[in-house]
């Protein structure tokens, strides 16, 4: 009988954006998903390196442990083993086990059928006497297995490492590989291509899999009927679970009018795509929807659905959830529907910038649906593929290539980039490489000289993407169905969007009036970033030019000058590094000019609302929860924000608030606990006391 996965399994998309079916992308740190067999081989290697030969008197907790140990020893020494005999008693159960070399004994003679051609396959058994016999003893209710006989004398040649792995005992297709083989077979891949795909995914050379092509063929043939049953059951499960997901969306909408969702159906009236978002997320987008990251790196093995998640960053540097979508496929039209739906959810407001993975179909959809939005592919998304694409082809030269590739991010102009690119491609013989050509065709989306000056709001950093990865893995806990997944998304999104900001004292480092003024306006996250630039500004020299502009350079470096244009009448400042346009916070070069101009505080326009303290999200009560006494709750939020803002100005204030707040909260909590739990009980108690 066919079986289906017991949980909703999510893995990273591995199909390469180059479009070649043979090419897959592996991700650093994703060994659990992409190289299970490699891990098993590694663990076997580690255990065998420290292994000693079995000996008489050696003790094991179970006969299975003993068999595994002897099997690892045998593999290391060029042979395999099998179970020979066992003896049973009413008191002890199985109390003796015999393990022998796979060439032990002799094959019984077989009679050839008369009149038929019969292939006479020679037996490998040659009477080898290598063995390990075990006996079980029970002491104080604890069973142990002892080696009572051991011999490692063989009457045949032992195999080398590259030969022993091909023995039938070691040619096992692990569960992760079985799932992959079945999926590829269902997609119509022939056996030899399935083997090639597995080799590419694991980053190994041909013939290095722990099984042979004929093992894959036998596995597929034996499972063909099961595959068909599995496919039918999976389709049925998907239909049922998708309908339950829509029921959950409908129920959430009834309890929370701010919740939004939509879906499409195909020609057979079956659900294709489903998208949803929450009222809190829509409100958060109103404040922080200038930059959006659309993550499409995960899909469900169980349902064959691609997950898209829209995320942002708030003024405290925290990842915020805007919405998500489940898509039938990765076609451009599917992405287009997802983007249309998201903008509709967000009340027609388009982001200034959208960050995505490298995906031609998604790029085309953004061009069509978000024509006024700048599309950017972050460095993190690019570098996650570079190793997978070039480490094997370049071999020992990969480290040198990686260094050259990293230097491209410091190139100032697009013209210089193209010159350096051509030099790098020629140096490493990659002129006709499909991945190099793909990266170059996408250069306007990821090369710094092309995207400099577009708002990123501190999102294109490794720290941000690590936070995103943590958030995504939080919603990929073991899920039995899509409804459970939907509920987990709601829980994680609610927690993420209402995570408490830790109260912290912001230490002044420069004692410049600009710093003290910024401290009272910006959130700790934004202030720390501006403070870092302000500290570095003191290391730069400024040379005024005839037109009133300034050339800014580091006191130790004669190159890397920045041009800062200053328009006094309107107090406008523009730096050639375009940091303010990118992060929304002034750079060290512009700050140096303000210091020279004897400014005690920055002009108000250089404190963007997205980084101000007053733009913080309120501590809402969760999805679908409304307070009947909303006025006092909003007043509580206002006072809390003011308290945190005022307390962070000095260390003394911070310590005083922390000390007194703990006292007051503890007192209030104790008072509440002494109060009756319900009005009905209180009235009844009062009546009883009066009657008494």
């Amino acid at each position: 009988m066919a079986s289906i996965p017991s949980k909703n399994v999510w893995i990273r998309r591995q199909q390469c954006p180059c479009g070649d079916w043979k090419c897959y992308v592996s991700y650093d740190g994703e060994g659990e998903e992409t190289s299970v067999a490699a891990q098993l081989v590694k663990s076997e290697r580690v255990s065998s390196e420290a292994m000693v030969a079995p000996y008489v008197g050696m003790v094991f907790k179970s006969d299975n442990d003993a068999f595994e140990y002897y099997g690892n020893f045998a593999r290391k020494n060029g042979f395999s083993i099998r179970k020979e005999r066992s003896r049973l008693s009413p008191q002890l159960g199985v109390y003796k086990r015999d393990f022998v070399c796979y060439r032990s004994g002799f094959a019984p003679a077989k009679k050839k059928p008369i009149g038929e051609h019969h292939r006479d396959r020679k037996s490998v058994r040659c009477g080898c006497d290598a063995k390990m016999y075990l006996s079980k003893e029970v002491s104080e209710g604890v069973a142990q297995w002892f080696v009572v006989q051991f011999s490692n004398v063989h009457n045949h040649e032992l195999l080398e490492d590259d030969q022993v792995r091909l023995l039938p005992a070691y040619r096992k297709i692990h569960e992760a590989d079985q799932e992959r083989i079945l999926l590829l077979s269902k997609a119509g891949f022939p056996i030899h291509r399935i083997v090639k795909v597995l080799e590419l995914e694991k980053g190994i050379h041909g013939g290095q899999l722990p099984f042979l092509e004929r093992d894959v063929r036998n596995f597929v043939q034996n499972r063909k009927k099961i595959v068909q049953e599995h496919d039918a059951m999976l389709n049925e499960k998907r239909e049922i679970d998708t309908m339950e997901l829509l029921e959950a969306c409908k129920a959430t909408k009834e309890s929370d009018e701010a919740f939004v969702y939509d879906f499409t159906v195909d020609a057979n009236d079956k659900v294709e795509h489903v998208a949803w978002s929450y009222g809190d997320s829509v409100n958060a987008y109103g404040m922080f929807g200038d930059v959006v990251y659309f993550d499409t790196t995960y899909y469900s093995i169980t349902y064959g659905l691609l997950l898209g998640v829209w995320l942002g960053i708030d003024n405290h540097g925290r990842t915020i959830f805007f919405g998500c979508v489940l898509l039938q496929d990765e076609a451009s039209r599917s992405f287009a529907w997802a983007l249309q739906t998201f903008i509709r959810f967000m009340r027609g407001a388009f982001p200034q910038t959208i960050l995505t993975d490298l995906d031609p179909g998604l790029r085309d959809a953004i061009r069509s649906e978000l024509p006024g939005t700048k599309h950017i592919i972050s460095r993190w998304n690019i570098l996650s593929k570079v190793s997978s694409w070039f480490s094997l082809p370049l071999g020992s030269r990969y480290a040198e290539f990686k260094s050259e590739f990293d230097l491209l991010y410091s190139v100032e102009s697009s013209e210089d980039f193209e010159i350096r690119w051509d030099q790098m491609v020629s140096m490493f013989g990659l002129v006709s490489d499909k991945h190099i050509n793909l990266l170059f065709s996408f250069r306007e989306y990821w090369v710094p000289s092309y995207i400099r000056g577009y708002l990123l709001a501190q999102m294109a950093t490794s720290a941000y993407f690590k936070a995103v990865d943590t958030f995504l893995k939080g919603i990929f806990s073991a899920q039995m169905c899509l409804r459970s997944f939907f509920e987990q998304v709601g829980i994680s999104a609610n927690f993420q969007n209402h995570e408490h900001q830790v109260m912290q004292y912001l230490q002044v480092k420069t004692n410049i009036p600009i710093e003290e003024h910024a401290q009272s306006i910006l959130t700790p996250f934004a202030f720390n970033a501006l403070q870092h630039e302000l500290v570095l500004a003191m290391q730069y020299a400024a040379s005024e030019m005839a037109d009133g502009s300034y050339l800014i350079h580091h006191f130790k470096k004669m190159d890397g000058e920045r041009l800062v244009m200053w328009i006094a009448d309107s107090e406008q400042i523009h730096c050639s590094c375009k940091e303010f346009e990118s992060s929304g916070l002034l750079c060290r070069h512009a700050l140096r000019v303000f210091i020279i101009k004897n400014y005690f505080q920055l002009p108000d326009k250089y404190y963007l609302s997205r980084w101000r303290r007053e733009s913080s999200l309120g501590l809402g009560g969760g999805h679908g929860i409304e307070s009947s006494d909303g006025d006092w709750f909003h007043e509580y939020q206002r006072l809390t924000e003011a308290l945190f803002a005022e307390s962070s100005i000095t260390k003394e204030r911070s310590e005083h608030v922390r000390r007194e707040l703990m006292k007051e909260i503890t007192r209030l909590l104790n008072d509440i606990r002494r109060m009756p739990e319900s009005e009905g009980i209180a009235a009844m108690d009062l009546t009883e006391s009066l009657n008494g």
Side-chain angles (χ1 to χ4, degrees):
M1 184 65 182
S3 63
I4 56 178
S6 60
K7 61 182 180 179
N8 188 8
V9 182
W10 296 90
I11 67 169
R12 284 190 183 273
R13 293 166 66 194
Q14 293 175 295
Q15 180 63 56
C16 181
C18 72
D20 187 345
W21 65 266
K22 296 181 293 184
C23 186
Y24 279 74
V25 175
S26 59
Y27 293 84
D28 293 337
E30 297 293 335
E32 192 175 3
E33 298 167 357
T34 58
S35 56
V36 174
Q39 285 190 5
L40 290 171
V41 170
K42 180 180 179 181
S43 64
E44 288 173 359
R45 188 185 300 120
V46 170
S47 62
S48 62
E49 285 174 354
M51 181 176 293
V52 298
Y55 54 87
V56 174
M58 196 174 192
V59 182
F60 296 95
K61 291 182 179 179
S62 69
D63 55 339
N64 288 331
D65 288 349
F67 186 74
E68 181 180 0
Y69 188 92
Y70 190 25
N72 289 333
F73 171 81
R75 180 164 187 165
K76 182 182 178 183
N77 287 273
F79 66 102
S80 67
I81 62 171
R82 58 184 170 85
K83 296 176 181 178
E84 177 73 355
R85 293 178 299 176
S86 62
R87 271 137 289 183
L88 188 71
S89 77
Q91 293 79 21
L92 297 175
V94 175
Y95 69 98
K96 287 190 180 296
R97 283 283 193 193
D98 295 351
F99 304 143
V100 299
C101 173
Y102 78 113
R103 301 193 69 174
S104 173
F106 297 94
K110 295 182 180 179
K111 293 183 179 180
K112 296 181 180 180
I114 301 173
E116 294 183 14
H117 175 71
H118 179 74
R119 184 173 61 175
D120 188 12
R121 181 181 295 172
K122 187 177 180 181
S123 172
V124 298
R125 297 192 182 186
C126 60
C128 180
D129 194 42
K131 60 195 175 188
M132 184 174 82
Y133 293 169
L134 296 148
S135 180
K136 181 169 72 173
E137 294 183 10
V138 179
S139 176
E140 298 181 356
V142 178
Q144 289 184 318
W145 289 82
F146 293 84
V147 177
V148 294
Q149 285 190 55
F150 176 72
S151 170
N152 198 33
V153 178
H154 299 265
N155 64 353
H156 56 88
E157 184 178 355
L158 298 177
L159 304 178
E160 298 294 331
D161 287 344
D162 61 338
Q163 297 172 315
V164 72
R165 69 182 182 81
L166 299 178
L167 290 174
Y170 305 127
R171 294 202 322 259
K172 294 180 180 179
I173 303 177
H174 296 288
E175 185 176 351
D177 291 325
Q178 290 181 14
E179 293 242 8
R180 194 80 181 115
I181 290 168
L182 292 177
L183 285 172
L184 293 172
S185 177
K186 185 175 69 173
F189 281 47
I191 299 300
H192 70 281
R193 287 188 176 180
I194 292 176
V195 172
K196 185 63 176 176
V197 167
L198 292 173
E199 291 170 346
L200 288 167
E201 288 180 345
K202 297 175 186 299
I204 60 178
H205 296 293
Q208 294 300 308
L209 289 170
F211 44 82
L212 303 177
E213 184 175 313
R214 69 168 177 264
D215 298 322
V216 177
R217 181 173 288 104
N218 291 337
F219 170 73
V220 171
Q221 289 175 350
N222 293 336
R223 295 289 296 270
K224 188 165 287 186
K225 182 179 178 182
I226 298 176
V227 168
Q228 293 172 351
E229 294 176 356
H230 177 275
D231 192 29
M233 291 179 67
L234 196 58
N235 287 337
E236 182 180 358
K237 175 179 174 61
R238 175 174 167 175
E239 286 186 40
I240 294 172
D241 285 3
T242 304
M243 294 308 298
E244 288 185 352
L245 171 62
L246 293 182
E247 287 295 325
C249 288
K250 183 179 178 181
T252 305
K253 180 67 175 177
E254 291 174 354
S255 63
D256 179 9
E257 291 185 0
F259 176 79
V260 286
Y261 76 103
D262 198 4
F263 63 96
T264 64
V265 294
D266 60 18
N268 298 317
D269 207 30
K270 294 182 179 179
V271 176
E272 280 185 313
H273 317 308
V274 184
W276 67 91
S277 182
Y278 303 92
D280 292 336
S281 297
V282 175
N283 292 334
Y285 183 86
M287 288 186 281
F288 306 112
D290 45 9
V291 185
V292 172
Y293 174 52
F294 186 33
D295 187 282
T296 56
T297 55
Y298 284 89
Y299 74 95
S300 170
I301 291 180
T302 311
Y303 300 100
L305 293 171
L306 176 70
L307 175 67
V309 182
W310 290 282
L311 301 162
I313 190 171
D314 72 0
N315 54 346
H316 292 282
R318 299 170 300 200
T319 305
I320 49 178
F321 175 87
F322 291 141
C324 70
V325 63
L326 293 172
L327 297 174
Q328 171 84 21
D329 52 43
E330 302 170 29
S332 181
R333 61 178 181 82
S334 299
F335 286 129
W337 178 86
L339 294 171
Q340 292 169 7
T341 305
F342 176 69
I343 297 301
R344 190 170 71 254
F345 285 172
M346 300 300 127
R347 300 166 183 166
F350 289 78
Q352 294 183 41
T353 308
I354 184 168
L355 289 86
T356 73
D357 198 5
L358 196 160
D359 188 302
L362 185 52
R363 175 197 59 189
D364 296 342
I366 291 172
R367 280 176 177 174
S368 171
E369 305 303 325
L370 307 178
T373 298
K374 177 60 179 176
H375 181 195
I376 290 177
I377 300 168
S378 76
R379 182 176 184 175
W380 185 87
N381 291 113
I382 294 294
L383 296 182
S384 65
K385 297 174 178 57
V386 168
S387 174
S388 181
W389 283 343
F390 301 111
S391 58
L392 281 178
L394 294 177
S396 60
R397 299 195 68 194
Y398 173 71
E400 183 185 359
F401 167 81
K402 182 64 166 51
S403 297
E404 290 292 326
F405 190 88
D406 288 342
L407 289 175
L408 293 173
Y409 279 90
S410 61
V411 176
E412 290 294 322
S413 69
S414 55
E415 293 79 8
D416 290 343
F417 166 80
E418 294 189 11
I419 293 171
R420 292 285 297 271
W421 180 269
D422 289 340
Q423 292 173 346
M424 181 190 71
V425 169
S426 298
M427 183 190 306
F428 294 96
L430 298 171
V431 175
S432 59
D433 185 89
K434 62 186 178 182
H435 297 125
I436 281 290
N437 294 331
L438 179 67
L439 285 172
F440 189 72
S441 69
F442 271 80
R443 63 190 179 280
E444 64 181 284
Y445 302 97
W446 65 272
V447 176
S449 56
Y450 286 89
I451 65 176
R452 185 176 291 114
Y454 290 97
L455 184 63
L456 296 173
Q458 305 281 348
M459 281 174 59
T461 64
S462 59
Y464 179 77
F465 284 103
K466 286 178 181 177
V468 168
D469 205 44
T470 300
F471 170 75
L472 292 175
K473 288 179 177 177
I475 65 175
F476 295 146
S477 56
Q479 305 296 337
M480 299 301 293
C481 61
L482 287 177
R483 186 182 188 119
S484 298
F485 173 73
F486 170 79
E487 292 169 353
Q488 183 60 43
V489 169
I491 293 169
S492 299
N494 185 55
F495 174 78
Q496 196 76 25
N497 288 358
H498 299 99
E499 183 183 3
H500 279 280
Q501 173 63 24
V502 177
M503 184 168 60
Q504 61 185 101
Y505 166 61
L506 304 178
Q507 183 179 5
V508 175
K509 295 181 179 179
T510 67
N511 290 319
I512 296 174
I514 288 176
E515 182 184 16
E516 294 183 6
H517 181 243
Q519 183 188 42
S520 66
I521 294 176
L522 300 174
T523 62
F525 175 79
F527 174 72
N528 283 335
L530 183 71
Q531 187 184 56
H532 175 72
E533 294 296 310
L534 197 58
V535 170
L536 292 177
M538 308 308 295
Q539 301 178 8
Y540 283 76
S543 303
E544 187 173 6
M545 303 174 68
D547 62 354
S549 299
Y550 289 84
L551 282 178
I552 310 295
H553 62 84
H554 193 271
F555 79 102
K556 285 185 178 180
K557 302 174 183 176
M558 292 301 103
D559 58 347
E561 287 183 331
R562 298 294 183 180
L563 175 63
V564 178
M565 297 178 63
W566 168 250
I567 305 173
D569 294 342
S570 56
E571 294 186 312
Q572 290 188 40
I573 197 163
H574 303 279
C575 181
S576 59
C577 77
K578 297 186 178 181
E579 176 62 26
F580 180 74
E581 290 82 356
S582 175
S583 69
L585 296 166
L586 284 174
C587 62
R588 62 200 70 171
H589 319 106
L591 289 169
R592 184 60 182 160
V593 173
F594 275 117
I595 294 170
I596 292 172
K597 294 292 182 181
N598 295 321
Y599 269 73
F600 291 159
Q601 60 186 50
L602 298 176
D604 193 62
K605 59 187 170 186
Y606 293 111
Y607 292 120
L608 295 188
S609 61
R610 75 148 14 259
W611 297 127
R612 291 174 178 257
R613 291 174 180 268
E614 63 264 25
S615 298
S616 297
L617 294 169
L619 301 177
H623 308 314
I625 301 175
E626 295 291 337
S627 172
S628 59
D629 297 324
D631 291 341
W632 80 264
F633 188 77
H634 291 305
E635 179 66 11
Y636 162 76
Q637 287 183 252
R638 187 186 66 78
L639 291 172
T640 301
E641 288 294 333
L643 181 65
F644 273 70
E646 293 292 336
S647 65
S648 63
I649 293 176
T650 68
K651 186 176 182 180
E652 289 74 18
R653 287 188 181 189
S654 177
E655 291 178 348
H656 176 74
V657 169
R658 185 180 292 110
R659 183 172 57 252
E660 295 301 320
L661 195 59
M662 293 303 104
K663 290 181 183 177
E664 286 301 310
I665 291 176
T666 302
R667 181 191 63 77
L668 194 58
L669 182 60
N670 291 332
D671 288 346
I672 292 172
R673 284 173 174 166
R674 286 193 292 267
M675 295 173 68
E677 294 186 3
S678 71
E679 295 179 2
I681 295 175
M684 183 178 65
D685 290 344
L686 179 60
T687 303
E688 290 177 352
S689 64
L690 290 173
N691 292 336

